[in-house]
Amino acid sequence: GGTGVCEISGSVPGELSGSYDECGGTLEVDWTYTDDCQRTITAKKTITVLPAPAAEFEEVENMEITCEEANSFEAGSLSYTNGGTGVCEISGSVPGELSGSYD
């Protein structure tokens, strides 16, 4: 707030720390400045990182097969993703479990 030779002003880069993953996390930015009179000021910002969106299965449709086709039907795997990238990505596939009966 001073003027002339009494003015002390400027800017300093922030230091980023913390961590996050697909479940969220916390990042912090710290700023520190020490003037010519050895007086130090600090500021800190906390940033809450929200979890990535939940994954969704790819679309499935009901189907009809013949009795003969049922003899060799295999459930297969189904993929899922949340559309994220990097540490925010949730994706993969899971095997299907076949149940029910026919004759």
Side-chain angles (χ1 to χ4, degrees), residues 1-30:
T3 58
V5 296
C6 297
E7 179 180 1
I8 301 172
S9 65
S11 65
V12 293
E15 272 188 45
L16 183 62
S17 63
S19 64
Y20 68 97
D21 60 19
E22 71 276 9
C23 298
T26 303
L27 297 175
E28 295 176 335
V29 181
D30 290 292

Side-chain angles (χ1 to χ4, degrees), residues 3-97:
T3 58
V5 296
C6 297
E7 179 180 1
I8 301 172
S9 65
S11 65
V12 293
E15 272 188 45
L16 183 62
S17 63
S19 64
Y20 68 97
D21 60 19
E22 71 276 9
C23 298
T26 303
L27 297 175
E28 295 176 335
V29 181
D30 290 292
W31 293 271
T32 303
Y33 171 74
T34 303
D35 68 16
D36 292 340
C37 302
Q38 300 308 306
R39 296 174 292 197
T40 300
I41 57 174
T42 62
K44 178 185 282 278
K45 178 189 287 190
T46 299
I47 304 159
T48 300
V49 179
L50 302 174
E56 295 182 14
F57 279 117
E58 62 186 6
E59 189 173 324
V60 295
E61 294 181 9
N62 293 333
M63 60 189 289
E64 292 181 0
I65 59 176
T66 67
C67 189
E68 287 301 317
E69 290 170 326
N71 287 328
S72 61
F73 184 82
E74 294 182 16
S77 295
L78 186 62
S79 297
Y80 59 88
T81 184
N82 70 341
T85 59
V87 299
C88 300
E89 179 182 4
I90 301 171
S91 65
S93 65
V94 293
E97 292 184 26

